[in-house]
Amino acid sequence: MSATQLASVLFPMPVPEPFDYLIPADLDVKQGDFVLAVLGTRTVRGVVWKIRNKTQVDAGRTLKVIKEVLPHPPLPQSCMDFVDFVARYTCHLQGVVLRMVLSNPDALMPSPTHTLYGPGTKVPSRLTPARKKVLEAAKGGFSSASELARKAGVSTGVITSLAKAGGLVVQTRQTDRPFDPPDPVPGKLDLTDIQRDAANALIALTRQDGFAPALLDGVTGSGKTEVYFDAIADVLRRDASAQVLVLLPEIALTQDILARFTRRFGAQPAQWHSDRTAGQRRRVWREVIMGRARIVVGARSALFLPFANLHLIVVDEEHDTSYKQEEGVLYHARDMAVVRAKIAKTAIILASATPGLETMQNARSGRYAHVRLPARPGAAVLPPISTIDLREHPPEAKKWLSAPLIDAMHQTLTRQEQCLLFLNRRGYAPLTICRHCGERMKAPDSDTYLVEHRYSGRLICHLTGYSIPKPDACPACGTKDSLHPVGPGVERLHEEVLERFADKRIEVFSSDTAADAASVHDMISRMENGDIDIMIGTQIAAKGHNFPNLTMVGVVDADMGLHGADLRAGERTWQTLMQVAGRAGRAHKPGRALLQTHQPDHEAIMALCSGNREAFMAAELSLREDMGFPPFGRLAALIFSAGTEAEASKAAGTFVAAAPVVQGVDIWGPSAPPLARVRGRWRRRLLLRADRRVDLSAMITAWRARVKLPRHVRLKIDIDPYSFL
Ligand code: ADP
């Protein structure tokens, strides 16, 4: 064997780069092929990342050979380029990012099959009563042996013997059926002229050959979904093999949007999210790489599916913070979707009623096309928003509703209309304190307070999920019945509302009271149908639901998100309150939103009340520009953690001491973050700020390579951090 070519093979495991192997002369190996090769003592499946000719240097190396080329479709080049980019940008190992692509190894194998039995053409000579029952049951069509046996009330042995005797026809079918192709017929709705123009603008972008990003900017109900449906339909119509990816936040809970896809395109889209079974994911993965899944609707990890012919990406609710992946490889799915589109040279539509500041800036500067959709006649309109100054109207002791808010609720309910009280805090009380000794109930392994959940009788850490039954006595001083709740959660607010509005139908809507898609759906339809008078909801109630008879939204604590040293605090408060206020009122039934606040003159609150989004954005942007923060500069967080505080502190110190001197980079820290301990590990944080022209990822990668950290110290690198805890 004389090999003249080498293959660099990347393995889906924690390796920093591909390894070289010789290609035997009798093997036909191409870039993207899945191959088997020996790594250490094991034979492992990897992907051929690159092929090159053998050089003199290689002649001196002892290289292993590729053992086998697997009969799978190759990994598309754009997918490989995406892995390279994500690994480099997020400072994670290339092999670990590849593992996110190959999340489902079974999907590479041919589909498993199953056997079905249907009515045969001949009647066997020996017809026992059991066989007769089977023939009768089989008239209904094809089914599995066990199902048919159950229907006929016989054992499966009867089925197989009857099939052998020719009494039943046997069919072998693929378990992972291809998805039904979508039918990209024109929509049945008559788009308004403005919607038509918006759809045409998006279609024009998708028809360009190349990367074309757009912000689709319009209030909830303006028709963004209908408009991007039109763009999707056009893409599918023009290219019979084109694939479209639609990212949605919290897709597992929003089944209604999937039903809309099915109605619009006459076939269910492929769905990709963590609640799907392994079998369902295997089917989606295979159909995507085969190019047969045309529309994929998924959560952020769907970005890593091996699309063969991606032509359009839609990121719905692009501002949603759940697009940021905070575990494992840390990435922002909206930003990486833009990269994916750039690599695939396609259009991408970012849709939102409250676009993120980064996206707004891209639209303002002309990097993204800005397609606007004003409110549609007849659709929900943004109600007038006003404040209730809690300094003037303080609620009674241990109560949370001010007199003006209670009045407004009475007026609304008298008109037989609905109220929504928004409080983004699950559980009964965020803090539990001992009245006797002052002990605060904290998680044993994290720097968090335990939140009392009275419905379940437990104290829960919202960060890690740790929970204990609420003790009868203070664990510190042993005094009985001394543990006392401080502050409100939705469950406590529920108590107050029950007291004040005893004859009304009241529901709490949070991820505790509606934990799965079915109960979310149930809660929403009961509100839609008017079966609830007062809904008390967390974030989950703020999402774009349409409640036609809801005319009053009361925000119990509008200041909540404004605390803390988070650069996005103002923006996020504005987004959340805008979304929740938008639940109240329609053109023919005006509503109102009331914000209880201690800071009525805070910029975000004033912007909400005046409806002057542009002024608010401009003010926030200029603040960010002055500080050199995103989108005008770059940020990265480095989080060190170790078993003891001293170790974490020492590691961070050693790391900072080795910092490169790079112009245009500021290094802040190390400091003990608000969450100084999580799951028993002590933490230290560094925050880096850099001018836009600095390649912060490359700088960090080189820096890390120079410093040897002790084995038990972990370093988490968070490029573009959204959490500062
Ligand atoms: P958004 O995505 O901006 O929230 P949607 O596309 O979901 O808006 O539209 C809100 C509702 O209004 C949907 O039920 C949609 O079918 C309906 N709708 C939108 N545009 C029209 C139109 N031109 N005619 C009739 N119904 C429409």
Side-chain angles (χ1 to χ4, degrees):
M1 178 185 68
S2 76
T4 58
Q5 285 200 310
L6 298 185
S8 304
V9 177
L10 185 61
F11 297 98
M13 50 186 66
V15 293
E17 59 190 5
F19 297 132
D20 286 343
Y21 288 86
L22 294 168
I23 302 179
D26 58 344
L27 266 194
D28 180 20
V29 179
K30 294 181 302 305
Q31 202 162 302
D33 278 347
F34 287 88
V35 294
L36 291 179
V38 174
L39 183 67
T41 55
R42 291 190 301 148
T43 298
V44 188
R45 179 170 50 204
V47 179
V48 176
W49 223 243
K50 218 174 173 175
I51 292 189
R52 61 182 178 86
N53 290 327
K54 210 164 132 185
T55 64
Q56 275 187 333
V57 179
D58 298 319
R61 299 160 72 195
T62 39
L63 290 171
K64 297 188 177 119
V65 292
I66 298 274
K67 281 181 97 172
E68 193 182 329
V69 180
L70 296 168
H72 310 319
L75 195 63
Q77 182 65 46
S78 66
C79 199
M80 296 165 64
D81 293 345
F82 185 57
V83 169
D84 287 343
F85 182 93
V86 173
R88 205 193 64 73
Y89 186 77
T90 64
C91 306
H92 281 83
L93 296 173
Q94 221 176 354
V96 169
V97 180
L98 177 62
R99 192 164 59 189
M100 292 162 71
V101 172
L102 304 182
S103 54
N104 210 306
D106 287 353
L108 287 162
M109 300 302 167
S111 168
T113 55
H114 57 273
T115 308
L116 297 179
Y117 298 84
T121 41
K122 62 177 202 210
V123 179
S125 47
R126 204 170 65 81
L127 207 53
T128 61
R131 285 184 165 190
K132 267 194 196 149
K133 281 194 236 161
V134 173
L135 289 181
E136 196 50 40
K139 281 184 183 155
F142 280 82
S143 42
S144 68
S146 55
E147 207 180 316
L148 194 52
R150 191 181 48 73
K151 270 195 232 161
V154 301
S155 74
T156 50
V158 182
I159 313 287
T160 38
S161 81
L162 186 57
K164 250 192 222 136
L168 292 172
V169 174
V170 183
Q171 270 191 4
T172 306
R173 288 199 194 157
Q174 294 204 331
T175 305
D176 299 344
R177 284 172 302 107
F179 290 94
D180 294 333
D183 183 8
V185 287
K188 292 183 190 67
L189 281 185
D190 276 335
L191 294 187
T192 61
D193 287 349
I194 292 168
Q195 289 173 335
R196 184 76 269 148
D197 288 348
N200 286 344
L202 295 177
I203 288 171
L205 290 176
T206 63
R207 289 185 179 189
Q208 278 177 19
D209 242 352
F211 174 56
L215 164 61
L216 178 58
D217 177 3
V219 296
T220 303
S222 56
K224 293 185 296 299
T225 312
E226 297 295 340
V227 165
Y228 75 63
F229 275 177
D230 251 38
I232 294 175
D234 186 74
V235 164
L236 298 178
R237 209 162 33 234
R238 272 185 304 116
D239 179 341
S241 63
Q243 294 174 300
V244 176
L245 167 64
V246 181
L247 294 184
L248 296 174
E250 295 173 51
I251 174 175
L253 294 180
T254 47
Q255 294 297 306
D256 297 354
I257 178 87
L258 291 168
R260 267 179 88 177
F261 270 93
T262 308
R263 280 201 300 277
R264 175 67 170 79
F265 295 102
Q268 272 207 347
Q271 293 173 50
W272 182 266
H273 55 83
S274 54
D275 276 8
R276 305 244 87 196
T277 63
Q280 288 168 326
R281 285 163 156 256
R282 181 187 66 208
R283 174 181 177 211
V284 173
W285 202 98
R286 184 181 304 107
E287 292 303 310
V288 166
I289 198 168
M290 302 297 286
R292 291 188 299 230
R294 308 285 309 284
I295 305 179
V296 179
V297 180
R300 55 190 176 220
S301 60
L303 266 180
F304 292 88
L305 284 169
F307 289 96
N309 194 17
L310 187 59
H311 269 247
L312 172 63
I313 302 178
V314 177
V315 183
D316 206 349
E317 308 285 0
E318 68 87 33
H319 64 278
D320 199 292
T321 42
S322 70
Y323 279 127
K324 179 71 199 260
Q325 163 81 27
E326 299 283 7
E327 300 278 327
V329 175
L330 309 186
Y331 65 95
H332 196 298
R334 186 235 5 244
D335 297 348
M336 291 306 110
V338 173
V339 170
R340 188 93 163 86
K342 204 175 215 169
I343 290 172
K345 300 191 178 66
T346 68
I348 175 164
I349 300 169
L350 308 178
S352 176
T354 52
L357 220 55
E358 282 81 357
T359 304
M360 267 315 268
Q361 177 57 14
N362 280 320
R364 283 161 70 117
S365 69
R367 288 186 58 211
Y368 294 178
H370 194 169
V371 179
R372 288 171 216 259
L373 273 182
R376 191 170 54 83
V381 291
L382 197 65
I385 303 175
S386 49
T387 55
I388 297 172
D389 189 336
L390 288 175
R391 296 165 304 184
E392 276 175 45
H393 304 282
E396 295 163 27
K398 294 203 193 116
K399 296 275 189 295
W400 322 101
L401 302 176
S402 63
L405 185 54
I406 296 167
D407 275 355
M409 291 174 72
H410 276 299
Q411 290 164 19
T412 310
L413 295 165
T414 310
R415 288 193 306 269
Q416 313 285 323
E417 292 165 0
Q418 295 165 298
C419 304
L420 169 67
L421 291 179
F422 177 73
L423 177 64
N424 202 12
R425 206 179 257 147
R426 291 164 46 213
Y428 186 80
L431 177 64
T432 301
I433 204 165
C434 171
R435 252 193 296 216
H436 186 71
C437 72
E439 169 79 2
R440 290 158 178 238
M441 294 296 292
K442 281 185 130 184
D445 59 348
S446 304
D447 259 350
T448 51
Y449 291 122
L450 294 176
V451 178
E452 180 182 354
H453 282 242
R454 206 159 268 196
Y455 298 158
S456 62
R458 301 186 77 81
L459 298 179
I460 302 178
C461 167
H462 282 184
L463 183 73
T464 64
Y466 166 90
S467 87
I468 47 167
K470 187 180 175 191
D472 302 332
C474 169
C477 68
T479 312
K480 266 202 125 195
D481 300 326
S482 67
L483 292 177
H484 180 73
V486 179
V490 280
E491 295 177 7
R492 197 170 193 185
L493 190 62
H494 187 197
E495 254 177 27
E496 178 178 351
V497 175
L498 269 173
E499 249 172 61
R500 297 188 188 279
F501 300 91
D503 58 333
K504 297 297 171 197
R505 295 162 301 172
I506 305 161
E507 283 291 346
V508 172
F509 187 14
S510 77
S511 56
D512 298 305
T513 60
D516 55 27
S519 34
V520 168
H521 180 85
D522 179 58
M523 189 72 84
I524 293 172
S525 32
R526 282 169 50 221
M527 187 70 178
E528 269 172 4
N529 297 337
D531 299 336
I532 298 172
D533 299 314
I534 304 172
M535 176 178 267
I536 301 169
T538 60
Q539 186 78 28
I540 195 170
K543 297 287 154 79
H545 318 298
N546 273 318
F547 301 133
N549 200 35
L550 170 68
T551 57
M552 204 224 65
V553 167
V555 174
V556 175
D557 183 359
D559 308 335
M560 201 155 93
L562 296 173
H563 313 312
D566 184 333
L567 78 131
R568 294 186 180 84
E571 178 192 357
R572 231 173 357 230
T573 298
W574 177 78
Q575 280 162 346
T576 307
L577 299 188
M578 182 86 170
Q579 296 269 353
V580 70
R583 298 306 111 243
R586 314 176 70 79
H588 62 279
K589 211 178 230 183
R592 61 172 155 166
L594 294 170
L595 316 181
Q596 294 196 142
T597 173
H598 288 96
Q599 308 173 61
D601 39 15
H602 188 286
E603 249 166 17
I605 306 273
M606 293 211 307
L608 278 162
C609 295
S610 66
N612 195 343
R613 174 177 102 170
E614 298 307 316
F616 173 65
M617 292 274 181
E620 285 280 310
L621 280 169
S622 100
L623 211 68
R624 298 248 197 122
E625 192 163 19
D626 289 348
M627 317 261 288
F629 279 170
F632 304 98
R634 301 177 187 282
L635 282 185
L638 306 185
I639 301 126
F640 301 83
S641 67
T644 67
E645 185 161 25
E647 274 178 317
S649 170
K650 186 167 169 219
T654 313
F655 205 81
V656 170
V661 179
V662 180
Q663 272 239 321
V665 177
D666 304 315
I667 301 175
W668 295 316
S671 60
L675 289 175
R677 202 163 60 113
V678 173
R679 295 190 174 89
R681 293 183 70 82
W682 291 88
R683 303 162 83 235
R684 283 290 181 274
R685 273 183 84 100
L686 279 184
L687 188 63
L688 313 185
R689 193 217 62 85
D691 296 347
R692 270 200 78 84
R693 57 180 172 78
V694 177
D695 185 342
L696 199 51
S697 304
M699 178 193 133
I700 294 172
T701 302
W703 183 1
R704 185 176 54 179
R706 281 205 319 274
V707 186
K708 187 140 180 49
L709 290 172
R711 258 211 2 253
H712 41 275
V713 171
R714 264 184 243 146
L715 168 56
K716 195 163 117 174
I717 299 175
D718 189 0
I719 305 287
D720 306 324
Y722 274 63
S723 162
F724 295 85
L725 294 175

